[in-house]
Amino acid sequence: MPAFVEAGANVSHSSVAAGSWVRHGAEVVGCTLGQGVFVGFRSRVASAAIGTGTMVASLASIGEPGGDRVTIGAGAWIAARAVVAPGVTVGDGAVVAAGAHVVADVPPDSIVVGRPARVLRRREVVEDGLPDISPIVAIVRSRKNSNAVVLPDGWRVGARSLLDAEFKGGSDVVIGAGLIALGRADGPSSAGGVRAADGVRIGEEATLEGGGGIGIGAFTEAGAGLQILSSGHDLRHRSLPWEAGAVSIGARVRIGHDVTIVGPCRIGDGAVLTDGAVVLGNVPAHSITSGVLEGNRP
């Protein structure tokens, strides 16, 4: 299967092997991508060599243009909004958790978390082969109506948006320009989609990955750069199989700028997530969360 570089992705001065997938808004500069590499929405990858079957989640940042070369082994997982500094080596099968900032080499099959990243534990895995993104790529390639979504009555979405999701919910929903949204019942989970109740407000440049289902309660407000991922991967298997992880956000939640929410999780009514928060677990109602919340998922 040839490489799949979506419209809106920028790949330059790079070699991209067969079976790799670079999503809308991603930038790959001066890199070598092995077979079956996945690069998610709005990721930035520069001066890097990435091994077979490695997956880079949305809004991750790897290396710098012209910087010391980053080396990432085969079958690794670089999670959402993680940062890998120039010159770092990430070993085969390693997992860099959401929001982690890697400034030193990561041993193979280790899980690192935090800012700066530290080793949380070693992966113990079933040896069932490297990750294989080809089944999902085939689903996306076969769709004839991508980005041809009809919004519910009373919804307003700004310009420059990529809409490949099923939207449901109330009225008077406003989402700013540059939205990337996906999640449909014909995807890997029948629960896929984005549901928003009355009066929801979301700022510009949001990324809503609703493959496992996203629900947002009435009158919740979020600043620019919101990222919600309703899925993850089973770290107990070498193949890192995709898992649905529904995200449920209550009513009148206040979400700051550049917040990342990774399911499965539930955020209670009236909670506050401050600017730059990374949420990986449940948030109680009427509580305040900042920094990286390490919950039920690395």
Side-chain angles (χ1 to χ4, degrees):
M1 181 176 66
F4 182 21
V5 178
E6 294 186 5
N10 174 28
V11 177
S12 62
H13 307 291
S14 298
S15 171
V16 180
S20 291
W21 183 14
V22 182
R23 301 229 64 176
H24 176 88
E27 184 173 278
V28 177
V29 179
C31 295
T32 301
L33 307 187
Q35 289 190 336
V37 170
F38 172 81
V39 180
F41 297 114
R42 293 188 170 122
S43 289
R44 298 290 179 263
V45 186
S47 300
I50 300 182
T52 300
T54 279
M55 293 184 285
V56 178
S58 298
L59 287 153
S61 177
I62 297 173
E64 295 178 358
D68 291 341
R69 199 155 185 81
V70 173
T71 301
I72 298 179
W77 168 236
I78 313 298
R81 270 207 171 103
V83 176
V84 179
V88 165
T89 295
V90 177
D92 293 347
V95 173
V96 177
H101 190 167
V102 179
V103 296
D105 291 352
V106 177
D109 279 334
S110 59
I111 299 172
V112 298
V113 300
R115 302 170 178 167
R118 67 187 190 280
V119 175
L120 177 67
R121 66 177 186 270
R122 180 176 173 80
R123 287 179 68 194
E124 301 293 337
V125 298
V126 175
E127 297 292 351
D128 58 348
L130 290 174
D132 179 11
I133 59 174
S134 60
I136 296 179
V137 172
I139 291 172
V140 174
R141 279 184 178 273
S142 69
R143 288 174 175 164
K144 305 302 183 184
N145 61 340
S146 292
N147 207 25
V149 170
V150 176
L151 293 169
D153 290 342
W155 285 48
R156 288 171 287 162
V157 174
R160 299 181 289 101
S161 293
L162 174 68
L163 308 180
D164 193 18
E166 293 179 8
F167 295 99
K168 297 179 180 179
S171 61
D172 191 25
V173 172
V174 179
I175 304 176
L179 169 67
I180 295 175
L182 71 155
R184 298 163 35 151
D186 65 353
S189 169
S190 60
V194 176
R195 187 187 74 257
D198 293 346
V200 166
R201 298 287 186 270
I202 297 175
E204 295 185 348
E205 303 296 322
T207 305
L208 307 180
E209 299 194 33
I214 295 172
I216 304 173
F219 304 107
T220 282
E221 297 182 2
L226 173 66
Q227 180 183 29
I228 302 177
L229 298 95
S230 62
S231 63
H233 296 274
D234 184 351
L235 306 185
R236 298 169 298 180
H237 290 77
R238 177 70 63 202
S239 64
L240 291 171
W242 188 91
E243 291 184 319
V247 173
S248 175
I249 300 173
R252 300 186 185 277
V253 174
R254 296 294 175 261
I255 301 171
H257 296 279
D258 299 320
V259 170
T260 296
I261 301 168
V262 181
C265 70
R266 180 178 295 274
I267 298 171
D269 293 345
V272 175
L273 311 181
T274 64
D275 291 354
V278 177
V279 176
L280 299 152
N282 296 332
V283 176
H286 308 292
S287 64
I288 298 175
T289 294
S290 60
V292 179
L293 172 65
E294 297 172 10
N296 51 318
R297 250 178 150 47

